[in-house]
């Protein structure tokens, strides 16, 4: 489409070397074509050009002292992408691969995801190229404090509210919250994913994984199917993967895999959840130790991966849940999944499937594909429930939050599904999610004038 090509060309020229950002943008723009053809107001108000440019991009230096007394330097980012629907909201990622393009793709996806929740949330994302691997507890704390020593001046409970993402969980949120309080003297909801006895919400830890499973459940039920008895493969072994696996067991499915940055575990009897939590949440060690307690499982280290794909996608399954990172599921993997009988993919991670893989899923008759910006929106939605509890000084019980999460995920499914039908693309939830999310943001931008 000329409009898409023109925008991508413009982005490549003005924001060079941001391949993940172009990828995310291209997918959205291609989906929007039928809407833009029909409703000329979006072009009249130049919404696309306005939307692909972040409102504000903050880049800063983080200096901190390691255990040897060496001063270390990292890059810090907070990209405040779009505030048409509410305060900027989105996680912080600490991973060695982080750069401006990655934070920008995540921030861009976040705009539509947050819109789909139906809640008042703008889109943003942040992070650092800090590598938490092998760092001591003291180093993690000093880094988090140094990161917040700059970030604190840019965030606020009604302006920008970060949360966790890869490499940022409850521990890091705690250190950052403490530093914010120290610097400002204010005790307020400037981060979500907080500890339960200092402002956190029950079910926030579980929300992304649970929500991804609820989304799969909605897709399958609408097709007259269910998760019960289904064999599921899951990639990742962090927050999203763990609570995906937990909810799958609760709904009678059998999750048989997990993976981390060093390898993949396949346990045909079903992944032992207690072992997984002990290794990844408490001890924070490699998945290879799963074999210590479950020697019958099969472990494949990354060095032995087929160069064409992660072995997790070669395991025969009914439903797949990519829950690790972007572009972890390529065209070969998608072919393999479909060939081996997989009928549904629900994305816990952000943009885990490459564009070719997405095309294959969408082009396969009766295949159910839940894109990340819809399927993993339960995390940010529950973050908003945390903000809501903070603002009203209340705390709701687990069932209350979980029921709200379930309803929000159902609402997202309905909105994707009905929008897809409206554009004669039944079950194309990529088109459904992108158009439904876009309309909310774009209409708000038009109402609010050229600001
Ligand atoms: P965690 O840091 O808790 O876990 C990430 C997991 O994925 C870890 O097991 C990690 O391995 C593995 N991993 C990360 N990067 C790579 C890589 N490049 N190659 C192979 N394995 C990798 O993060 P989350 O579970 O929070 O996030 C997972 C995904 O879900 C991300 O895409 C994130 O953006 C998305 N997401 C997260 C939400 C949240 O609320 N946390 C909400 C919505 C989406 P190792 O253990 O070795 O580090
Ligand atoms: O990608 C995401 O939606 C998240 N990392 C969670 C964001 C949030 O603000 O809870």
């Amino acid at each position: 489409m000329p409009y898409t090509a023109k925008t991508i060309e413009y982005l490549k020229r003005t924001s060079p070397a941001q391949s993940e950002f172009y990828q995310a943008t291209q997918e959205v723009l291609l989906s929007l074509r039928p809407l833009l053809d029909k409703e000329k107001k979006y072009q009249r108000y130049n919404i696309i050009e306005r939307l692909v440019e972040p409102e504000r991009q903050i880049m800063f230096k983080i200096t901190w002292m390691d255990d040897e007394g060496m001063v270390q330097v990292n890059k810090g980012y907070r990209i405040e992408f779009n505030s048409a629907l509410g305060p900027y909201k989105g996680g912080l990622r600490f991973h060695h691969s982080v750069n401006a393009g990655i934070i920008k793709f995540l921030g861009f996806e976040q705009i539509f995801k947050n819109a789909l929740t139906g809640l008042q949330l703008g889109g943003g994302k942040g992070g650092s190229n800090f590598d938490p691997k092998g760092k001591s507890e003291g180093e993690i704390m000093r880094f988090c404090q140094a990161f917040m020593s700059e970030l604190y001046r840019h965030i606020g409970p009604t302006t920008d509210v970060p949360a966790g993402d890869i490499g940022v969980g409850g521990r890091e949120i705690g250190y950052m919250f403490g530093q914010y309080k120290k610097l400002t003297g204010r005790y307020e909801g400037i981060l979500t994913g907080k500890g339960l006895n200092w402002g956190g919400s029950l079910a926030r830890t579980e929300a992304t994984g649970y929500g991804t499973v609820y989304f799969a459940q909605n897709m399958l039920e609408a097709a007259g199917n269910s998760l019960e008895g289904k064999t599921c493969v899951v990639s990742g072994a962090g927050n999203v993967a763990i609570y995906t696996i937990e909810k799958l067991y609760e709904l009678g499915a059998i999750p048989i895999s997990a993976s981390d940055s060093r390898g993949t575990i396949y346990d045909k009897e079903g992944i032992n959840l207690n072992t997984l939590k002990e290794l990844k949440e408490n001890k924070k060690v490699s998945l290879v130790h799963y074999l210590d307690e479950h020697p019958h499982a099969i472990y494949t280290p990354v060095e032995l991966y087929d160069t064409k794909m992660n072995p997790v996608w070669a395991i025969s399954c009914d439903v797949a849940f990519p829950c690790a990172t972007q572009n972890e599921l390529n065209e070969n993997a998608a072919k393999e999944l479909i060939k081996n009988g997989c009928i549904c993919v629900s994305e816990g991670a952000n943009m885990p499937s490459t564009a070719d893989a997405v095309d294959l899923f969408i082009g396969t008759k009766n295949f159910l594909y839940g894109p990340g910006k819809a399927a993993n929106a339960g995390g940010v939605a529950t973050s908003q429930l945390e903000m809501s509890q903070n603002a009203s000084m209340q705390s709701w019980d687990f069932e209350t939050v979980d029921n709200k999460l379930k309803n929000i995920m159902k609402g997202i499914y309905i909105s994707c599904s009905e929008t897809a039908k409206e554009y004669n693309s039944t079950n194309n939830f990529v088109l459904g999610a992108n158009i439904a999310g876009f309309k909310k943001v774009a209409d708000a931008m038009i109402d609010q004038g050229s600001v």
Side-chain angles (χ1 to χ4, degrees):
M1 183 203 176
Y3 204 79
T4 304
K6 203 176 116 213
T7 308
I8 299 297
E9 190 274 321
Y10 163 79
L11 289 179
K12 285 185 177 166
R13 193 160 30 85
T14 55
S15 304
Q18 299 190 341
S19 58
E20 292 86 358
F21 177 50
Y22 315 143
Q23 182 185 340
T25 311
Q26 173 137 339
E27 184 209 275
V28 172
L29 296 184
L30 288 172
S31 300
L32 293 179
R33 186 179 183 172
L35 173 72
L36 298 182
D37 285 348
K38 195 170 99 183
E39 304 221 25
K40 297 295 177 203
K41 66 176 174 181
Y42 299 120
Q43 293 187 44
R44 196 161 64 244
Y45 286 98
N46 203 10
I47 293 296
I48 301 296
E49 216 175 308
R50 289 162 66 188
L51 200 56
V52 297
E53 196 59 40
E55 289 175 15
R56 197 170 296 105
Q57 304 186 62
I58 300 145
M59 292 174 67
F60 52 97
K61 177 176 75 170
I62 305 146
T63 50
W64 55 282
M65 196 175 277
D66 70 17
D67 287 348
E68 271 69 59
M70 272 295 289
V71 176
Q72 300 288 344
V73 182
N74 286 100
K75 285 175 173 292
Y77 305 87
R78 185 68 184 167
I79 299 198
E80 299 182 330
F81 226 118
N82 189 290
S83 62
L85 294 180
Y88 308 104
K89 184 84 194 87
L92 298 171
R93 177 177 292 191
F94 293 170
H95 193 261
H96 62 82
S97 65
V98 161
N99 58 39
I102 293 207
I103 299 299
K104 243 169 117 176
F105 114 68
L106 290 162
F108 188 69
E109 289 284 285
Q110 200 82 43
I111 303 172
F112 306 98
K113 181 195 305 195
N114 294 4
L116 281 172
T117 65
L119 304 167
Q120 286 337 138
L121 295 170
K125 200 85 189 189
S128 172
N129 63 351
F130 173 72
D131 182 3
K133 291 252 155 46
K135 301 294 188 297
S136 71
E137 189 73 24
E139 288 174 327
I140 298 275
M141 184 176 77
R142 290 195 296 280
F143 175 79
C144 289
Q145 291 172 338
F147 185 83
M148 185 52 86
S149 295
E150 173 60 32
L151 188 70
Y152 85 97
R153 67 186 90 243
H154 307 293
I155 62 177
T158 58
T159 54
D160 184 357
V161 187
D165 194 84
I166 292 177
V168 178
R171 173 180 62 169
E172 291 75 19
I173 294 289
Y175 293 146
M176 288 190 273
F177 184 82
Q179 182 72 357
Y180 178 90
K181 186 162 59 67
K182 173 93 180 167
L183 291 169
T184 64
R186 291 198 296 270
Y187 201 108
E188 52 191 8
I190 39 82
L191 290 165
T192 57
K194 300 187 288 299
L196 294 179
N197 57 346
W198 46 275
S201 172
L202 282 163
R204 174 61 187 92
T205 305
E206 293 83 355
T208 311
Y210 279 20
T212 303
V213 177
Y214 294 147
F215 197 85
Q217 192 183 27
N218 279 297
M219 291 194 286
L220 287 163
E221 281 178 1
N225 209 331
S226 83
L227 273 168
E228 202 173 338
K230 295 286 188 294
T231 301
C232 301
V233 296
V234 178
S235 66
N239 171 266
V240 181
I242 288 173
Y243 292 95
T244 293
I245 289 174
E246 183 166 288
K247 184 50 73 178
L248 284 172
Y249 276 126
E250 279 177 32
L251 297 181
I254 310 130
I256 53 169
S257 70
S259 67
D260 65 12
S261 53
R262 297 188 201 118
T264 294
I265 200 89
Y266 166 39
D267 185 342
K268 66 177 180 352
E269 291 171 14
I271 290 289
N272 185 299
L273 189 58
N274 288 337
T275 306
L276 183 65
K277 285 187 178 178
E278 183 57 23
L279 294 177
K280 300 309 285 190
E281 288 188 328
N282 299 336
K283 293 186 180 155
K284 301 186 194 296
V285 293
S286 158
L287 268 182
V288 68
H289 295 288
Y290 187 91
L291 295 176
D292 302 346
E293 282 183 47
H294 311 282
H296 62 273
I298 298 170
Y299 178 76
T300 312
V302 284
E303 300 79 49
L304 299 185
Y305 282 12
D306 178 337
T307 48
K308 295 197 192 96
M309 69 172 176
N310 181 332
V312 81
W313 314 123
I315 304 170
S316 173
C317 69
D318 301 305
V319 189
F321 294 87
C323 298
T325 193
Q326 65 273 0
N327 292 328
E328 55 166 322
L329 196 167
N330 62 14
E331 190 181 9
N332 287 315
K335 278 187 191 152
E336 195 72 13
L337 282 169
I338 294 167
K339 187 184 88 193
N340 292 333
C342 178
I343 55 165
C344 174
V345 165
S346 188
E347 295 184 338
N350 285 305
M351 206 170 72
S353 306
T354 61
D356 290 342
V358 174
D359 287 345
L360 253 180
F361 292 144
I362 291 172
T364 301
K365 196 163 185 284
N366 294 332
F367 195 90
L368 300 169
Y369 169 64
K373 63 167 76 69
N376 73 37
V380 73
T382 308
S383 277
Q384 195 277 353
L385 302 178
E386 180 171 328
M387 289 161 71
S388 195
Q389 292 168 80
N390 291 164
S392 60
M393 296 189 174
Q394 290 178 15
S395 44
W396 306 331
D397 61 31
F398 193 96
E399 281 65 36
T400 302
V401 181
D402 191 30
N403 281 331
K404 285 180 192 289
L405 168 64
K406 250 183 238 160
N407 284 333
I408 292 169
M409 295 313 295
K410 182 159 208 93
I412 296 174
Y413 171 75
I414 290 171
S415 149
C416 294
S417 159
E418 291 190 344
T419 308
K421 278 192 201 125
E422 190 187 330
Y423 287 87
N424 297 322
S425 300
T426 304
N427 280 4
N428 182 344
F429 304 126
V430 173
L431 179 140
N434 286 329
I435 291 189
F438 172 85
K439 272 170 84 169
K440 286 197 172 125
V441 182
D443 290 343
M445 286 170 73
I446 292 171
D447 290 347
Q448 292 169 20
S450 68
V451 288

